[in-house]
Amino acid sequence: MSVFSFLTREKLTYRPSCPSVPSCPVSFMRGRRHRVDVPYALPKDEREEERLAFQHYTLHKILGGHYHAPIEPTVERILDVGTGTAKWAHDIARLFPQAQVYGLDLELPQGVGLPPPGNYHFVQGNVLQALPFPDNQFDFVHQRLLVSAIPSVRWPDVLHELVRVTKPGGYIELAEAGNSYQQVGASMQTFLNWGQIASIRKGIDVSLMPYLGDLLARVDMRHIRTRTFQLPVGTWGGKEGDLYARDMYAAFQGLKNFYCAVGDVDPDNFDAILADLPQEWEFCHTTHAFYIAYGQK
């Protein structure tokens, strides 16, 4: 088995798909489950939940924590938008046991690991629609890695909703990874070109991600801070680089249906290029830019 085969440390048991949505619109392609009512590029299935759990562990290690905004220990209400597996929200609920933590997503997380903390609450919702909360509810609103779910024209709407539900003086934090890679080879460049074509056809613009701070400024956030991490991709970058490469490779596997169906990429060509990437990352010492921005209402 390749060192880039996707592994997790936690054995997960799964509930039936779409437990909170009786007739959720999905399609199945090449064994992967996709929601067809949203522009999300990645699957929504058990395999993707395993990857997201691994990704949460990886990002915590690489980024040095779960958040960067200077939230107070007395924070009372926290919202995680696009909560996915809810790993981030569960960890935050344990870090702030006095706070009520809400995770919002299209579907209830399917994986069953540790029981959720008593101060965690799942809320079904779509980030592209009005959030199901009154105004001025949350001291801290967190949103991570939703670039492949939000068309570029919808970012202002999404951010206005995040601001609306944030208390005066509260913080919003965005964490995203775009298409800015350094030291790439021919196969990686091909992969990025495919992604750009498919994304444009879905109205997604990953080149916006270096400008998260500007996006927050346009919705009148104050005291904005930004930070860019150059993350190593591959074992050449030590344990962190190895973890990040494993996560990235699994994410790229999950993009196959998106690239092939939307970007007209030949499936066999996709597989051949994907297989080249781990060795190319090692040879080129590839790095990937990861962006964090936060601001205060």
Side-chain angles (χ1 to χ4, degrees), residues 150-164:
I150 304 174
S152 57
V153 297
R154 298 299 309 279
W155 271 93
D157 298 333
V158 169
L159 293 180
H160 277 295
E161 274 296 284
L162 300 190
V163 172
R164 180 184 67 79

Side-chain angles (χ1 to χ4, degrees), residues 271-285:
D271 292 341
I273 290 293
L274 183 68
D276 286 342
L277 296 184
Q279 293 77 18
E280 197 174 83
W281 294 334
E282 296 292 344
F283 179 79
C284 296
H285 285 195

Side-chain angles (χ1 to χ4, degrees), residues 191-202:
F191 199 89
L192 293 174
N193 292 342
W194 288 343
Q196 183 174 9
I197 291 169
S199 296
I200 288 173
R201 291 178 179 176
K202 278 289 190 179

Side-chain angles (χ1 to χ4, degrees), residues 76-77 136-139 163 165-171 297:
E76 295 179 346
R77 286 177 176 261
N136 305 320
Q137 288 294 297
F138 297 99
D139 303 285
V163 172
V165 302
T166 303
K167 292 180 181 179
Y171 285 90
K297 181 175 176 180

Side-chain angles (χ1 to χ4, degrees), residues 92-204:
I92 289 296
R94 294 184 181 99
L95 282 174
F96 297 95
Q98 82 290 347
Q100 298 301 309
V101 179
Y102 296 79
L104 179 131
D105 210 300
L106 288 169
E107 300 177 15
L108 186 71
Q110 298 177 49
V112 178
L114 293 174
N119 58 330
Y120 167 79
H121 316 276
F122 174 78
V123 177
Q124 184 186 336
N126 185 344
V127 68
L128 298 179
Q129 300 173 359
L131 298 181
F133 305 105
D135 297 353
N136 305 320
Q137 288 294 297
F138 297 99
D139 303 285
F140 182 42
V141 175
H142 172 263
Q143 179 178 292
R144 184 170 76 184
L145 294 176
L146 287 188
V147 62
S148 65
I150 304 174
S152 57
V153 297
R154 298 299 309 279
W155 271 93
D157 298 333
V158 169
L159 293 180
H160 277 295
E161 274 296 284
L162 300 190
V163 172
R164 180 184 67 79
V165 302
T166 303
K167 292 180 181 179
Y171 285 90
I172 296 172
E173 179 167 316
L174 307 174
E176 294 287 350
N179 60 353
S180 181
Y181 292 82
Q182 301 295 322
Q183 299 163 204
V184 302
S187 292
M188 186 62 179
Q189 190 59 58
T190 296
F191 199 89
L192 293 174
N193 292 342
W194 288 343
Q196 183 174 9
I197 291 169
S199 296
I200 288 173
R201 291 178 179 176
K202 278 289 190 179
I204 294 168

